[in-house]
Amino acid sequence: AFVAALVLVVVSVASFSSLVIEEHSSASSQARRSQLAELAVLNVQEMQMASETATRAAVVAAAGEIREERPSARAETAEGGEAYTFWSSDFHISPIADLKDIFAPLGMRIIDESLSGHCHLKGTCATNLKVLTKQNGIDLRPCPNAVRRSFFEAYKRDGRLRGVDAFLCHHAAGMCEVFMPFNASLIVVASTRYEIGRHEPHRWRAWNE
């Protein structure tokens, strides 16, 4: 009887140990799967950041190319000062209209290729604008890097852009990403939300940089 009881105890302990091991193994597997998922997310973010870094390097190289071709002479204002040329491709007609009122008496020129849904009210709707559209302009989707590169390739020899001294970005402020390769000043005035069109953390960081 004692031997039988001892065998029963051993079997019970073995069964319990097996159950504990199985539960521990299951918990370990879940933890491992969780770690792999986190690593996968980190890898994707690193790839995205690497892509942004490569784009910024291309921007620097492109700026050098544009710098060599940018005309150095500018027209003069009535007061004898330099007349600057600005470019705007915005989704809001009001901020740029205000700037026109301010700049016009100073002899400044604004090229307004508006993408706003109300551009017809001002007669400023973009005509023959390449790459940028009402569908992709704010967030540069589906691939921001490809849109930026395509815009640069389309306009790097364009006479109007080569004569631009500064780009104006109001709505969305992040649209100035497109104009970075052209070796001109970027004037950013967030008309509403600074982050509009840049809602993902990695894109926000890239735009800040």
Side-chain angles (χ1 to χ4, degrees), residues 90-98 114 116 118-122 124:
D90 223 41
F91 280 82
H92 204 308
I93 60 174
S94 297
I96 192 63
D98 291 340
S114 180
S116 168
H118 296 92
C119 60
H120 60 282
L121 298 176
K122 291 289 188 178
T124 57

Side-chain angles (χ1 to χ4, degrees), residues 42-169:
L42 289 174
N43 285 337
V44 170
Q45 292 177 342
E46 288 176 357
M47 290 172 63
Q48 291 169 332
M49 292 178 66
S51 179
E52 296 291 347
T53 300
T55 298
R56 286 194 292 273
V59 163
V60 172
E65 179 181 349
I66 295 295
R67 185 180 297 112
E68 295 176 356
E69 299 181 356
R70 181 172 297 283
S72 57
R74 297 188 183 89
E76 290 188 356
T77 65
E79 291 76 18
E82 289 186 321
Y84 291 91
T85 300
F86 302 84
W87 178 288
S88 172
S89 290
D90 223 41
F91 280 82
H92 204 308
I93 60 174
S94 297
I96 192 63
D98 291 340
L99 274 183
K100 286 179 180 179
D101 290 340
I102 296 171
F103 282 177
L106 301 176
M108 305 302 170
R109 174 174 175 246
I110 294 180
I111 300 172
D112 190 358
E113 294 281 355
S114 180
L115 294 169
S116 168
H118 296 92
C119 60
H120 60 282
L121 298 176
K122 291 289 188 178
T124 57
C125 296
T127 56
N128 300 319
L129 183 64
K130 303 172 185 177
V131 182
L132 293 182
T133 67
K134 291 183 178 181
Q135 289 69 43
N136 69 7
I138 287 184
D139 57 12
L140 308 183
R141 297 295 187 185
C143 179
N145 287 343
V147 173
R148 288 191 288 260
R149 171 54 62 181
S150 296
F151 188 84
F152 172 71
E153 292 295 334
Y155 282 101
K156 65 182 180 181
R157 306 293 182 198
D158 184 85
R160 289 196 305 168
L161 258 75
R162 285 169 58 188
V164 168
D165 298 294
F167 293 93
L168 304 167
C169 302

Side-chain angles (χ1 to χ4, degrees), residues 183-195:
N183 189 37
S185 297
L186 305 176
I187 300 176
V188 180
V189 181
S191 61
T192 53
R193 301 190 313 277
Y194 168 77
E195 83 284 2

Side-chain angles (χ1 to χ4, degrees), residues 197-209:
R198 308 291 183 276
H199 301 146
E200 300 89 345
H202 72 277
R203 292 204 63 199
W204 185 310
R205 287 193 293 269
W207 166 225
N208 285 343
E209 293 172 4

